Amino acid sequence: MVKTQVGTAGRLLREMVAARRDSASAGAERGAAPRVVERARPARSVAAKIAAAGGADDETAALLRELTVRHLGADVGRRCGLYEALGGHRGGLPELLAAPPVSQGSDDTLRPPVPRSVHHTLGLLLEHAEPEHAAAELAALPERLTGLDAGWDPGSTVEALLAG
C-alpha cells in the first residue's frame, strides 16, 4: 500500500511539473507575436515571423490595427508607397510606418521583383486595416501588385469586402 501511494505521489508530482513547464512555455509563446511586430528585421519579414510564432493572437491583431490606423489611416497614397518602401527597408515595421512617406514611381516604371515576403506583410497589414481603408487601398493598388502572378494574399479582410 505504501509503495502504491509513493508511486501515485511521484506520478502526480511529475504531472504537476510537466503542467507548469507547459504553462510557462505557452505564456512565452502567447507574447511572441507582438514582439515580432515590434522587433522583426527587416520589416517585410513580419508576416512570416508572426506565422512562425503561432499566428496573430488578439494582442498582435490589436497592435497591427493600432499601427495601421495611426500611421496609414485612410491615406491611400501612403499605403501604396509602403509597397515601394518594404522591399528595401532594413529596419522594423513600426519605424517604417512612422517614417515619412516614400514617393511612388509611375506604374510603368521597370523595377526588379520584390521578395514575396513584401506581399505577405502588406496582406497582413491590409487584413488588420479598417474595412473602408482596405477597400480604398485595394482600388488604388497598381495592377502589377494585385495581379494573380504577384503572390498577393490579402487575407480574410479582402474576402469580407468582396462578399459585401
Side-chain angles (χ1 to χ4, degrees):
M1 182 161 137
V2 172
K3 190 173 186 180
T4 304
Q5 289 174 337
V6 170
T8 302
R11 184 174 40 82
L12 288 173
L13 182 59
R14 284 191 299 276
E15 289 173 4
M16 286 172 48
V17 168
R20 184 179 298 169
R21 185 176 42 239
D22 292 344
S23 173
S25 66
E29 292 170 9
R30 201 176 5 244
R35 283 192 307 275
V36 166
V37 172
E38 295 166 350
R39 298 179 187 165
R41 307 268 186 288
R44 68 176 179 265
S45 68
V46 166
K49 290 179 179 178
I50 285 175
D57 57 13
D58 292 341
E59 184 181 359
T60 306
L63 176 58
L64 288 167
R65 275 191 300 278
E66 189 268 328
L67 285 170
T68 59
V69 166
R70 181 174 4 134
H71 296 297
L72 302 176
D75 187 344
V76 174
R78 184 155 171 79
R79 288 175 172 276
C80 292
L82 187 59
Y83 174 77
E84 303 297 330
L86 266 172
H89 184 73
R90 295 287 169 215
L93 185 62
E95 78 181 49
L96 175 61
L97 293 174
V102 174
S103 65
Q104 291 179 260
S106 71
D107 197 31
D108 58 352
T109 303
L110 280 177
R111 294 178 193 88
V114 297
R116 191 169 299 274
S117 58
V118 167
H119 300 279
H120 294 290
T121 297
L122 282 175
L124 179 72
L125 291 172
L126 187 62
E127 187 176 336
H128 291 89
E130 295 293 325
E132 62 274 7
H133 298 164
E137 181 178 348
L138 280 174
L141 284 172
E143 186 177 321
R144 66 184 160 78
L145 180 56
T146 58
L148 293 176
D149 62 334
W152 182 258
D153 181 18
S156 61
T157 298
V158 175
E159 292 171 10
L161 290 169
L162 295 175

